[in-house]
Amino acid sequence: MSKILSTYGPLLLRAMGQTLLLALYGLFFACIIGMIVGIMSVIKNRVCKGIALVFVNLIRGVPMIVLAYFIYFGIPYLWNTILAIGGLTLSALEAGTICLALNCGAYMAEIIRAGIESVDIGQMEAARSLGLPYWRSMQRVILPQAIRTMIPSIINQFIITLKDTSILSVIGFPELVNTAKNVVSKTFMSFQTWAVVGVMYLIVILILQQAAKIVERRLKRGHRSL
Amino acid sequence: MDTEACRNVKIRVQHLCKSYEKLEVLRDVSLDVFEGEVVCIIGPSGGGKSTFLRCINRLEEYNSGTVYVDGQNISAKGVNINTIRRNIGMVFQHFNLFNNMNVLNNLMLAPVDLKIYSKEEAKALAMKMLDRVGLADKSNVYPDQLSGGQKQRVAIARALCMRPQIMLFDEPTSALDPEMVGEVLEVMRELAADGMTMVVVTHEMHFAREAADRVLFMDDGQFLEAGDPDSFFGHPKNSRLQDFLKKVL
Ligand SMILES: Nc1ncnc2c1ncn2[C@@H]1O[C@H](COP(=O)(O)OP(=O)(O)OP(=O)(O)O)[C@@H](O)[C@H]1O
Ligand SMILES: [Mg+2]
């Protein structure tokens, strides 16, 4: 154990950094995708609703590992060989970010849709009856209330996404699992290595969960905290 | 009726029909409401009262018929419903105060956001309206810290901050504990006395009797009887109204 820590500790820590970086990129774009698709699924427009529904179900119906292969190998192959448009290469970081963003974005969209729908319809009606347009009502009245109920689920989704980065080891991104595999193949100390990796994930996730608790407690304390 | 013909028609509803899927909720309903008039609508649950009221500011879309507010067809092409709604205050059974802001911001949101007033003007107006409903001391409080009666008075003040010429009330006291009904009705009486044009759906027969210029009975998507309060309550002609009054009085 101590040999793994002293020799490969810094390497694994750097890999953890890469994992967090990938998760952060993915989450950033996932939030944008989730917001757009989530709102598309609540507005009174059939086309928007349809697109949102297809997107969410498509992503949720495909395992992330398949999505990862598809984006990393499939899309460039389509672009360069089948369509022969040429020169598209995706780095593992780019493909990984897209993959996480799409995957997490679909789940975020569902969280955001449910959050918006949890706000009493009367709030929107009151805003509209005062003459406020739909989007202003959304921004000023509905979303601030929806976000309160969404935050615990969003943090939970963050944690899931952080763990999902490990799937991206299959496309060769040097995140924690991929790096650990290399360490094991060099040292054959699989018990020690995987134990260390497990604890590293655990620590980060425990910290996130703690943060989630604090946020939740502050939200419960009343509307003023927003 | 000559005198009425000269009066300004604020709301004109003609041949309004509305259905949900197969269910006909409004069946060829017409009504004129004059400037300064207080019209109360009573009737059994499910009769279409709320739907009728909500068609007047197009919170509900209707299938056919026409609604004119101040002579303007609210469903005409090119009409901005948001502009029309500014002139029509609406008060809901469940208050619908914005839970994410305090009382003052509830009142100031629309006037400021729609750039009708500057922040300072809107604040002054909001305080004036709060004072009018007797809640000037509650400006910094959040809705969940108010009693039902206070919430409804804030909701009325919020609507008044848009300086509407018409107010619609959908059972404003039905969700209130009995001891709080009076304070809300009092505010409504004052509004009526000030000459506000009001359409009130209510189960408060005493209020309808005292404050209304005209009372209508709605059942099954139609107005089955209309009249001044004395004859409406004193000598109801429609048999369903007679039954209804027997039950509620
Ligand atoms: N969104 C809706 N979808 C389907 N049916 C509806 C909807 N809203 C109302 N209805 C139906 O329309 C009819 C009229 O409803 P409305 O709310 O206008 O009645 P109401 O007279 O206001 O009754 P209450 O005194 O209970 O408020 C009812 O039968 C109701 O079930
Ligand atoms: Mg009703």
Side-chain angles (χ1 to χ4, degrees), chain B residues 46 49-51 93 170-171 201:
Chain B
K49 306 180 298 295
S50 299
T51 308
Q93 181 174 356
D170 191 0
E171 302 196 30
V201 173

Side-chain angles (χ1 to χ4, degrees), chain A:
Chain A
M1 190 73 75
S2 63
K3 177 168 179 250
I4 290 292
L5 279 181
S6 59
T7 316
Y8 295 104
L11 184 70
L12 289 173
L13 271 181
R14 229 173 301 133
M16 188 74 207
Q18 291 293 303
T19 295
L20 289 173
L21 184 76
L22 180 61
L24 223 63
Y25 281 157
L27 283 170
F28 175 76
F29 292 107
C31 285
I32 296 172
I33 292 176
M35 203 68 191
I36 292 171
V37 177
I39 288 179
M40 278 170 73
S41 64
V42 295
I43 61 178
K44 273 196 244 148
N45 182 313
R46 285 220 189 116
V47 179
C48 285
K49 265 202 170 87
I51 294 172
L53 195 74
V54 169
F55 171 74
V56 168
N57 285 318
L58 193 74
I59 297 294
R60 291 208 299 192
V62 176
M64 200 170 109
I65 193 164
V66 176
L67 189 65
Y69 280 130
F70 183 76
I71 291 168
Y72 190 56
F73 299 112
I75 296 286
Y77 181 75
L78 172 75
W79 194 262
N80 301 335
T81 310
I82 300 179
L83 298 177
I85 298 170
L88 177 75
T89 49
L90 285 175
S91 71
L93 178 63
E94 285 161 354
T97 301
I98 295 171
C99 183
L100 280 182
L102 288 176
N103 190 69
C104 178
Y107 288 97
M108 292 276 267
E110 279 299 279
I111 294 170
I112 287 164
R113 182 189 59 75
I116 292 172
E117 283 176 352
S118 77
V119 178
D120 179 28
I121 179 85
Q123 297 283 309
M124 178 57 100
E125 290 180 348
R128 297 306 309 275
S129 76
L130 289 165
L132 285 174
Y134 181 84
W135 285 112
R136 284 312 278 172
S137 311
M138 210 47 157
Q139 281 171 23
R140 303 298 305 272
V141 177
I142 308 300
L143 287 179
Q145 295 183 57
I147 285 168
R148 293 169 55 81
T149 65
M150 284 162 6
I151 282 177
S153 318
I154 288 178
I155 293 177
N156 192 40
Q157 190 56 48
F158 281 8
I159 291 172
I160 294 172
T161 300
L162 182 68
K163 292 202 230 178
D164 279 352
T165 54
S166 60
I167 295 172
L168 297 171
S169 59
V170 298
I171 58 172
F173 184 74
E175 48 70 67
L176 193 49
V177 169
N178 201 10
T179 309
K181 272 190 200 159
N182 293 338
V183 172
V184 172
S185 68
K186 271 188 217 140
T187 61
F188 302 107
M189 291 199 261
S190 52
F191 173 78
Q192 293 88 330
T193 309
W194 291 116
V196 168
V197 167
V199 169
M200 286 173 80
Y201 274 116
L202 197 63
I203 289 170
V204 172
I205 284 163
L206 282 177
I207 291 171
L208 267 177
Q209 271 168 348
Q210 214 48 43
K213 274 207 193 106
I214 293 169
V215 174
E216 254 173 273
R217 221 174 296 138
R218 282 194 53 180
L219 284 174
K220 271 204 195 105
R221 227 185 283 145
H223 295 285
R224 264 142 299 178
S225 55
L226 252 186

Side-chain angles (χ1 to χ4, degrees), chain B residues 20 23 25 43-51 171 203:
Chain B
Y20 291 108
L23 180 72
V25 183
S45 183
K49 306 180 298 295
S50 299
T51 308
E171 302 196 30
H203 289 300

Side-chain angles (χ1 to χ4, degrees), chain B residues 13-67:
Chain B
V13 178
Q14 286 182 324
H15 306 298
L16 196 66
C17 294
K18 157 93 187 166
S19 39
Y20 291 108
E21 311 286 317
K22 287 242 160 57
L23 180 72
E24 282 185 70
V25 183
L26 295 177
R27 302 192 291 171
D28 192 12
V29 181
S30 299
L31 174 71
D32 281 353
V33 181
F34 300 95
E35 185 159 21
E37 195 180 21
V38 177
V39 172
C40 283
I41 301 175
I42 66 168
S45 183
K49 306 180 298 295
S50 299
T51 308
F52 174 76
L53 206 64
R54 292 157 57 86
C55 284
I56 295 175
N57 65 357
R58 249 176 77 191
L59 229 41
E60 212 72 72
E61 298 289 345
Y62 38 89
N63 300 87
S64 64
T66 328
V67 176

